[in-house]
Amino acid sequence: MKTGWLIYRKQDAERNRHNVTFYEDAAKRQGASIQLYYFENFSYGTSENGLTLFYEGKPIEKPDFVVMRADEPLFSYQLELMSYRVFNNSQVSLVANDKARTLQVVAGAGVPTPVSRVANHGSAAGIGAELGYPLVIKPRDGHGGIDVLWIKNEASLSETLQNYNHDTFLMQQPVKDLGRDLRVYVVGRQIVAAMLRARDDDFRSNYCLGGSATRYELSCEEEALVNKVIDLFDFGFVGIDFMFSDGQMIFNEIEDVVGARMLYHLTDLDVVDIYVDHILKTIG
């Protein structure tokens, strides 16, 4: 029987207990087992004999695979150096959890992205003058639309930055079709589903912030654009987010530890089952 670790932070595991159960049940149906482990209980590093890994202060038996649901690329990289099979891998985690790095990789491959600049508190005023107003600022490591803010003018930027607790961040020109975006769920190289999210009272359309969501059928051209992003990475399970400008898809970001609440609420897809199947087939 194949065995796996499901790694969450304690707080996230408690908030997503139903998702933990999905993984446990999916593995059981497929003749494997997955056990929950808390990221905070691991210690890892080096010794005179090489790399070390402990759980609750003790050595731990190596599993066949690790499902990483904590955005900790350094930890994932250590596991990989110790020959653990980690999903998502450390490179996906490293890139996807830094919005600036993600834009570099994707834009460098010719995928349309919003006009963006990497800024800090010292450079923001000059970049604001360069890009013009209104504009959007967002943290490089943000999730769920938190601290993604609409900036109307220079005075608004100055006021916002007084309490904006991020050393570096992105400043972007808004796309034309506000309050509407697309999340494409991907397992491995398979597009599982696309969900259109919309909101009339906010430029952020996140489902967790109150946006509505419906199933969306990708056109051939849109599917080709998604596959262009997929080709750049070795994904396990992610969400690739796009915005729209004059009806055309514009890449936004990649969610590494992606939630699937929309899929379970609004479709009959069991994406965790699909993901576990992908993992088991990948490890052989």
Side-chain angles (χ1 to χ4, degrees), residues 175-178 180 182 196 216-219 221-222 225 242-250:
V175 295
K176 293 182 180 179
D177 304 348
L178 296 174
R180 180 172 173 263
L182 188 70
L196 182 68
Y216 182 89
E217 293 299 324
L218 295 166
S219 69
E221 293 79 9
E222 290 169 338
L225 184 62
F242 294 85
M243 300 178 287
F244 292 91
S245 188
D246 288 332
Q248 301 299 307
M249 284 170 51
I250 304 291

Side-chain angles (χ1 to χ4, degrees), residues 145-218:
I146 296 172
D147 284 346
V148 178
L149 303 175
W150 184 265
I151 305 298
K152 295 183 294 183
N153 50 41
E154 184 178 357
S156 174
L157 176 64
S158 178
E159 180 180 356
T160 297
L161 291 179
Q162 291 178 24
N163 297 302
Y164 202 65
N165 297 318
H166 303 278
D167 292 333
T168 61
F169 43 89
L170 286 174
M171 300 176 68
Q172 296 180 329
Q173 290 180 349
V175 295
K176 293 182 180 179
D177 304 348
L178 296 174
R180 180 172 173 263
D181 77 353
L182 188 70
R183 168 157 293 174
V184 182
Y185 289 92
V186 174
V187 173
R189 300 188 59 80
Q190 175 190 358
I191 298 173
V192 175
M195 301 295 293
L196 182 68
R197 305 180 296 188
R199 191 170 178 182
D200 294 330
D201 60 344
D202 198 316
F203 73 99
R204 300 167 300 174
S205 53
N206 305 65
Y207 190 61
C208 64
L209 295 179
S212 64
T214 55
R215 191 81 178 261
Y216 182 89
E217 293 299 324
L218 295 166

Side-chain angles (χ1 to χ4, degrees), residues 8-273:
Y8 269 98
R9 291 186 179 86
K10 287 182 182 179
Q11 180 178 333
D12 294 336
E14 292 166 2
R15 188 171 63 247
N16 293 282
R17 184 63 230 186
H18 61 287
N19 209 44
V20 173
T21 302
F22 290 161
Y23 278 95
E24 293 169 340
D25 292 347
K28 186 176 181 180
R29 285 193 299 270
Q30 298 183 48
S33 69
I34 287 181
Q35 185 173 348
L36 174 66
Y37 288 86
Y38 297 125
F39 170 74
E40 294 89 340
N41 291 354
F42 284 97
S43 64
Y44 65 101
T46 62
S47 71
E48 64 275 11
N49 297 316
L51 299 170
T52 60
L53 177 70
F54 298 94
Y55 190 76
E56 296 180 338
K58 300 176 182 178
I60 184 170
E61 186 174 349
K62 182 180 177 181
D64 296 297
F65 62 91
V66 175
V67 179
M68 183 62 67
R69 299 290 293 175
D71 52 349
E72 291 289 342
L74 186 65
F75 180 49
S76 295
Y77 185 53
Q78 171 116 358
L79 294 178
E80 289 165 357
L81 289 173
M82 299 175 74
S83 300
Y84 286 67
R85 298 296 300 273
V86 183
F87 301 83
N88 287 314
N89 64 47
S90 63
Q91 185 63 21
V92 170
S93 182
L94 177 68
V95 174
N97 288 293
D98 183 336
K99 298 183 193 303
R101 191 185 295 264
T102 307
L103 288 174
Q104 286 178 328
V105 172
V106 172
V111 175
T113 63
V115 175
S116 306
R117 299 290 186 273
V118 180
N120 56 46
H121 286 256
S123 66
I127 291 173
E130 175 192 342
L131 294 181
Y133 296 94
L135 52 80
V136 173
I137 66 170
K138 60 177 65 173
R140 289 172 56 185
D141 61 349
H143 299 282
I146 296 172
D147 284 346
V148 178
L149 303 175
W150 184 265
I151 305 298
K152 295 183 294 183
N153 50 41
E154 184 178 357
S156 174
L157 176 64
S158 178
E159 180 180 356
T160 297
L161 291 179
Q162 291 178 24
N163 297 302
Y164 202 65
N165 297 318
H166 303 278
D167 292 333
T168 61
F169 43 89
L170 286 174
M171 300 176 68
Q172 296 180 329
Q173 290 180 349
V175 295
K176 293 182 180 179
D177 304 348
L178 296 174
R180 180 172 173 263
D181 77 353
L182 188 70
R183 168 157 293 174
V184 182
Y185 289 92
V186 174
V187 173
R189 300 188 59 80
Q190 175 190 358
I191 298 173
V192 175
M195 301 295 293
L196 182 68
R197 305 180 296 188
R199 191 170 178 182
D200 294 330
D201 60 344
D202 198 316
F203 73 99
R204 300 167 300 174
S205 53
N206 305 65
Y207 190 61
C208 64
L209 295 179
S212 64
T214 55
R215 191 81 178 261
Y216 182 89
E217 293 299 324
L218 295 166
S219 69
C220 292
E221 293 79 9
E222 290 169 338
E223 186 172 330
L225 184 62
V226 176
N227 282 320
K228 195 168 185 177
V229 177
I230 292 173
D231 287 344
L232 300 171
F233 299 92
D234 180 17
F235 288 136
F237 172 37
V238 299
I240 307 176
D241 292 348
F242 294 85
M243 300 178 287
F244 292 91
S245 188
D246 288 332
Q248 301 299 307
M249 284 170 51
I250 304 291
F251 175 86
N252 185 22
E253 61 191 28
I254 298 170
E255 283 291 335
D256 167 27
V257 185
V258 65
R261 184 169 52 162
M262 281 189 295
L263 291 183
Y264 285 100
H265 283 185
L266 303 172
T267 77
D268 59 359
L269 291 168
D270 188 342
V271 71
V272 169
D273 195 74

